Amino acid sequence: MAAEKLKGEGNTMFTKGCWAEAAAKYGEYITLLFRDEESKEAQSKLVIGYSNRAETWLKLKKYVQAHDDCERALEYDPTHLKSWGRKARALEGLFLHLDAARTYRKLLQGFTLSASEKSWMKEALMISETKDRQSRWGIIEQDMDEKWEKADPGPELLASAPNLEEYVGPIRIGRTQKMGRGLFVTRNVGEGDLLLVSNIWTSNRFTMESETMPLDNALYTLQQSVEEIVNEAKENLQDLTHLQRLIQLDTLGGPYPDDLLLRDAPPMRYFKPVNSLERGGWRVTDEDRKHPALTNTFDRPFITKVILEKQLYHHGPKLLEISELYVLPSLMNHSCVPNVSTITLNNGKRSRIFRATRSIRAGEELFRAYHNILCPVDERRILHGKQNCECQRCTLELKLLREVSLLNYVAGECGDLAIENENENMWNCSTDVKQNVRTRSMTLLTAINDLFVHVSNLANLDDVKQDWIRASLTRFGRILLDPAIRMLPEVTFEQIQERDKLLVHVILAALTVDRASEVALSMCSGIATEEAPNIFNPVTDSMEEHLEAQVLLDCARRIVELSYGSGLKSQTIFNIVKSYAGRLKDLPF
């Protein structure tokens, strides 16, 4: 009777939503029943006790405890339906999608279920299989196809990206001489290969337009968000995913002295989704609990350091965004000639996808662009912050700016154009001003081409290095695609052809620097999908082949494959390409 009273009290607490109190009562109930564990009646009641307590652990998000209680219940009664269902939900909470899928499949195949039970279990099975496919194998294209193949191209398409699970490919963290740590590939990878899918850790996005949240308040809010993650992790250290969070945050706070290399470059087990680890690898071991990261108090100064030193401020018109906090991407170093593409999906998890943009040999370091790299080197250095990029491109460009005064002048004009564009909306400008901007940009683009023919310091460079310099002056080309400039009257067929030939040079140079540039993709899309591979010639009153548009359409397709994936269906690729038309205004200028 005493045991039944405890169970009743547990049920009452559960009904009231007092989950912790209910778990305690069920625990007392289980303890009493153990006195007579050998009897069939006690074993039958233990099944109920463990299963009920498992449900309270699920409510409390204590998934390890829920999983283990279900296992105990099923040891007594392998046919207990509720315990199997709760085990499946616990596996979902632990991000063990493969095991969750297996459990749902077992339920659907081996139990008599009601129509409603079958319905939600089939849905849960499909979700678990999708998450398993994404986190273990990095197979994400089919989810984009499902979402985008039949969607209407446009801004709404890119704003409705599918949610993705995290994926960590053949990469490791390693020490570097100049930057402390970096990411390296562990095997040869080909261009377009998926390296990483990273979801947002936490964020604090706010607009300065209303000035309702001063910078200090925004930092404080972000600090609080990280502290909540830390506290939750400390309360759930039996769960490897939560332990990973502490080790990951500790790693971001480095680099540490050489004798603490384990904190600088921990084993990748602490960064990979637990679903991709070997069977049983999600269990926290005694060795895990000895990791030096667990000596970190994660106090406010430490958290502030991570936020300020590891995240960049993104500047845009009337917007200051304290960037979302990501983990592994924060450990990948910057280059103005990156070998990795970066795409941020507009989904609930703000998933970032990283792919190789060229073949990379085992042991090579991975580099991405932290900021706009299609601008003059002086601007790039301001954007990059306290540590200047020392890649070959930056070094060469600084040298040439000192040696070639005309190049220095053109770079200055490019900077002036940025200031003017920031202060003026072209639609609000007079026709004379817009025509002047168009003429000025066309003249300077022509002058740039002449420099590479007639100035020996530039003419003697190989094609790749010439493109490195041309790409720094991309702004002259993209301003010609501003809708307010493109809509100017009295633009002849010959002028359009002349403009587009210049733009092809600009875009191909940009793609030499960044083979998956979103800016280049938007420029390609703006020409190729709006003007199409054929264009009307008013002089001959006929459609004529527009070779530049076809070239750029091919470029756009390749950019999408290097960013979103080569396994996408052709219609999905075209829809993405077309959706980038008109996106230049949203991309760094």
Side-chain angles (χ1 to χ4, degrees):
M1 289 297 292
E4 292 306 306
K5 182 181 177 184
L6 286 169
K7 187 179 80 167
E9 290 173 353
N11 291 343
T12 300
M13 291 295 103
F14 186 89
T15 303
K16 290 180 178 179
C18 303
W19 318 123
E21 292 84 347
K25 289 295 181 183
Y26 291 137
E28 293 178 45
Y29 174 67
I30 290 167
T31 301
L32 277 181
L33 291 173
F34 260 115
R35 296 175 182 176
D36 193 24
E37 186 191 6
E38 298 303 318
S39 75
K40 293 290 185 182
E41 182 182 1
Q43 290 178 5
S44 178
K45 290 179 178 180
L46 279 168
V47 172
I48 302 301
Y50 279 123
S51 193
N52 283 3
R53 191 170 66 172
E55 183 65 33
T56 65
W57 293 137
L58 289 171
K59 297 290 187 183
L60 290 164
K61 297 183 179 180
K62 304 283 187 182
Y63 298 114
V64 173
Q65 293 91 323
H67 172 273
D68 290 349
D69 271 359
C70 289
E71 290 278 82
R72 293 186 187 103
L74 292 169
E75 285 176 10
Y76 290 112
D77 182 3
T79 66
H80 192 247
L81 178 60
K82 283 188 176 180
S83 293
W84 279 111
R86 287 163 179 164
K87 179 182 176 180
R89 288 160 56 205
L91 291 168
E92 285 181 32
L94 290 167
F95 301 99
L96 298 171
H97 310 301
L98 175 61
D99 290 338
R102 285 172 171 163
T103 305
Y104 283 124
R105 205 174 291 114
K106 180 183 181 73
L107 282 162
L108 287 165
Q109 294 172 355
F111 288 82
T112 302
L113 304 170
S114 67
S116 62
E117 286 172 333
K118 280 184 180 179
S119 177
W120 77 260
M121 284 186 189
K122 284 180 179 178
E123 177 71 14
L125 172 61
M126 184 185 70
I127 293 171
S128 294
E129 287 176 335
T130 298
K131 291 181 176 181
D132 173 54
R133 185 175 65 243
Q134 292 175 354
S135 60
R136 268 203 309 149
W137 307 112
I139 300 172
I140 59 177
E141 285 96 333
Q142 67 187 68
D143 301 294
M144 293 185 193
D145 279 330
E146 264 182 44
K147 192 84 173 180
W148 286 342
E149 184 188 10
K150 296 179 181 177
D152 293 329
E156 295 80 11
L157 181 143
L158 295 176
S160 62
N163 277 328
L164 300 179
E165 290 298 295
E166 294 204 333
Y167 167 77
V168 177
I171 62 178
R172 66 173 177 85
I173 305 170
R175 293 293 293 266
T176 65
Q177 284 189 335
K178 292 182 179 179
M179 302 303 295
R181 285 88 49 84
L183 296 186
F184 299 80
V185 288
T186 57
R187 60 170 171 79
N188 294 346
V189 298
E191 63 176 45
D193 283 359
L194 182 64
L195 300 170
L196 180 65
V197 177
S198 184
N199 288 331
I200 188 172
W201 223 61
T202 186
S203 71
N204 182 45
R205 305 175 71 198
F206 69 99
T207 176
M208 293 294 287
E209 189 169 7
S210 60
E211 298 183 350
T212 55
M213 184 178 284
L215 180 58
D216 288 346
N217 289 0
L219 285 170
Y220 178 71
T221 303
L222 189 54
Q223 288 162 346
Q224 282 187 310
S225 178
V226 176
E227 285 174 351
E228 288 172 9
I229 292 171
V230 169
N231 292 333
E232 184 180 359
K234 287 180 176 179
E235 292 173 5
N236 292 279
L237 284 182
Q238 290 176 286
D239 179 343
L240 182 60
T241 300
H242 283 95
L243 178 70
Q244 286 177 331
R245 289 185 179 279
L246 293 184
I247 294 174
Q248 290 167 6
L249 184 61
D250 179 81
T251 304
L252 288 183
Y256 295 98
D258 290 342
D259 61 339
L260 292 175
L261 181 60
L262 183 62
R263 295 177 77 178
D264 265 357
M268 290 306 294
R269 175 172 176 266
Y270 296 122
F271 292 84
K272 289 186 175 182
V274 293
N275 187 63
S276 66
L277 301 176
E278 293 180 1
R279 292 296 301 275
W282 63 274
R283 289 282 185 183
V284 176
T285 67
D286 290 339
E287 196 64 31
D288 293 332
R289 293 190 178 91
K290 295 176 184 176
H291 192 283
L294 298 188
T295 63
N296 194 333
T297 60
F298 299 101
D299 56 17
R300 179 61 62 85
F302 177 86
I303 290 172
T304 302
K305 173 190 175 185
V306 169
I307 292 170
L308 293 179
E309 292 190 7
K310 300 300 176 185
Q311 305 311 302
L312 299 175
Y313 290 179
H314 170 69
H315 297 269
K318 299 184 180 179
L319 180 71
L320 173 63
E321 185 178 297
I322 298 180
S323 299
E324 300 98 337
L325 182 61
Y326 293 83
V327 180
L328 277 173
S330 298
L331 297 173
M332 192 185 303
N333 289 318
H334 165 84
S335 173
C336 291
V337 191
N339 56 9
V340 173
S341 66
T342 307
I343 287 291
T344 302
L345 296 185
N346 195 358
N347 60 17
K349 299 181 178 183
R350 293 285 292 169
S351 303
R352 284 187 179 172
I353 302 172
F354 299 84
R355 293 182 181 275
T357 54
R358 62 170 175 80
S359 296
I360 306 174
R361 297 183 65 83
E364 273 193 71
E365 188 173 359
L366 301 172
F367 294 97
R368 67 184 180 96
Y370 280 8
H371 50 69
N372 179 21
I373 56 174
L374 301 180
C375 60
V377 64
D378 289 341
E379 289 184 41
R380 301 202 300 271
R381 292 198 152 194
I382 292 170
L383 289 168
H384 197 54
K386 61 184 180 182
Q387 188 158 9
N388 289 327
C389 176
E390 297 180 5
C391 71
Q392 286 183 294
R393 178 185 170 208
C394 287
T395 303
L396 174 64
E397 191 171 339
L398 286 167
K399 174 177 177 290
L400 291 172
L401 286 173
R402 290 192 297 269
E403 295 174 352
V404 182
S405 58
L406 283 174
L407 181 62
N408 203 352
Y409 167 77
V410 173
E413 286 285 292
C414 192
D416 291 343
L417 189 60
I419 296 170
E420 292 167 16
N421 187 76
E422 184 177 345
N423 296 330
E424 292 284 355
N425 182 332
M426 282 296 162
W427 286 111
N428 298 331
C429 295
S430 67
T431 300
D432 287 345
V433 169
K434 288 185 280 192
Q435 285 179 333
N436 178 60
V437 168
R438 182 175 67 187
T439 301
R440 176 182 170 198
S441 297
M442 291 280 287
T443 301
L444 285 166
L445 281 177
T446 304
I448 292 165
N449 287 343
D450 290 341
L451 286 177
F452 284 99
V453 173
H454 300 299
V455 177
S456 60
N457 303 55
L458 300 175
N460 292 334
L461 298 173
D462 61 41
D463 291 344
V464 169
K465 290 179 179 177
Q466 285 192 3
D467 277 349
W468 285 356
I469 308 305
R470 289 179 191 272
S472 299
L473 307 169
T474 298
R475 190 171 291 140
F476 294 123
R478 65 178 291 172
I479 197 69
L480 294 175
L481 291 173
D482 186 298
I485 302 295
R486 294 184 71 184
M487 295 296 289
L488 285 172
E490 300 175 6
V491 174
T492 67
F493 177 75
E494 287 74 19
Q495 287 174 322
I496 292 173
Q497 284 193 315
E498 180 188 358
R499 180 204 69 188
D500 288 355
K501 285 177 182 176
L502 289 171
L503 287 175
V504 167
H505 284 295
V506 172
I507 292 169
L508 293 179
L511 292 178
T512 300
V513 166
D514 182 0
R515 298 179 69 187
S517 165
E518 284 191 282
V519 169
L521 175 54
S522 188
M523 292 177 74
C524 289
S525 180
I527 300 170
T529 62
E530 291 184 15
E531 294 177 4
N534 293 290
I535 191 168
F536 180 71
N537 184 345
V539 176
T540 60
D541 193 31
S542 62
M543 297 297 291
E544 295 187 9
E545 190 173 11
H546 187 36
L547 295 177
E548 286 74 20
Q550 186 59 58
V551 168
L552 296 179
L553 192 59
D554 292 340
C555 284
R557 181 187 182 92
R558 189 62 188 135
I559 296 170
V560 170
E561 290 177 336
L562 289 175
S563 303
Y564 291 89
S566 59
L568 293 170
K569 294 180 180 177
S570 295
Q571 186 60 50
T572 304
I573 292 174
F574 178 75
N575 288 346
I576 294 172
V577 169
K578 196 165 183 181
S579 295
Y580 269 86
R583 279 208 67 205
L584 272 176
K585 65 181 184 302
D586 302 321
L587 299 171
F589 190 74

